[in-house]
Amino acid sequence: MGTNGSTVLAPLRQGLPPIDVSGAAGAASCSLPARYEAVRSAREFTRTTLGQWALDERFDDVALVVSELVTNALRHAVPEAAPGGHERPVRLHLMRWSTRLVCAVRDPSRISPEAREAEDECAAESGRGLFLVESFSDTWGWHPLTGTLSGKVVWAVFLLRAPVPAGARPEPALPVED
């Protein structure tokens, strides 16, 4: 993933257990054109990547978050100067470690994403994207890029269950009390 991956992930180290980019079990990224059809491509890329990583069971939650982050990038962060959609100003990164999956969307804007209050316009058909990201991921955030990259990265973290070693019994589920 190189230097760009290190730059994208640097702020993820704050408040989380150490993340060593070189220790990632898997990393994949794709660039997306400035067209809303790119959201579908992002979901397909996510499905393929999670399938390769044997994380198919996480697809629904991760795809919802990917869709929201890419849609927000296209709607709020892509300059209007890209009307034809030929430029590829948005980039989706998926990174996997043994205990977490990170979904990061890079866009050309340095303007911070702002979540609406959950009660604001509950009947509205848009404006709930970051509320959904917060609800379906374990944590999320954003940071401006520095150095040769401009713009920002909005990221979401999904905690993964640690794999059960061969021959070991998984811990029993806690009983549910009525």
Side-chain angles (χ1 to χ4, degrees), residues 9-21 97-100 102 138-139 155 157 159:
L9 290 178
L12 285 174
R13 295 183 185 106
Q14 300 169 4
L16 290 174
I19 294 178
D20 177 12
V21 177
W97 287 262
S98 61
T99 59
R100 74 183 72 124
V102 175
D138 291 291
T139 188
W155 49 264
V157 176
L159 297 179

Side-chain angles (χ1 to χ4, degrees), residues 32-87:
L32 301 166
R35 295 191 312 257
Y36 288 115
E37 294 83 16
V39 177
R40 178 185 215 173
S41 299
R43 282 193 304 266
E44 291 169 357
F45 175 79
T46 300
R47 178 181 298 282
T48 300
T49 302
L50 294 182
Q52 291 170 349
W53 294 341
L55 294 174
D56 298 290
E57 76 280 357
R58 298 305 304 263
F59 173 74
D60 291 336
D61 291 349
V62 175
L64 179 113
V65 168
V66 163
S67 296
E68 294 300 332
L69 294 181
V70 171
T71 298
N72 284 350
L74 293 171
R75 182 173 289 155
H76 302 292
V78 173
E80 293 180 20
H86 300 294
E87 295 180 29

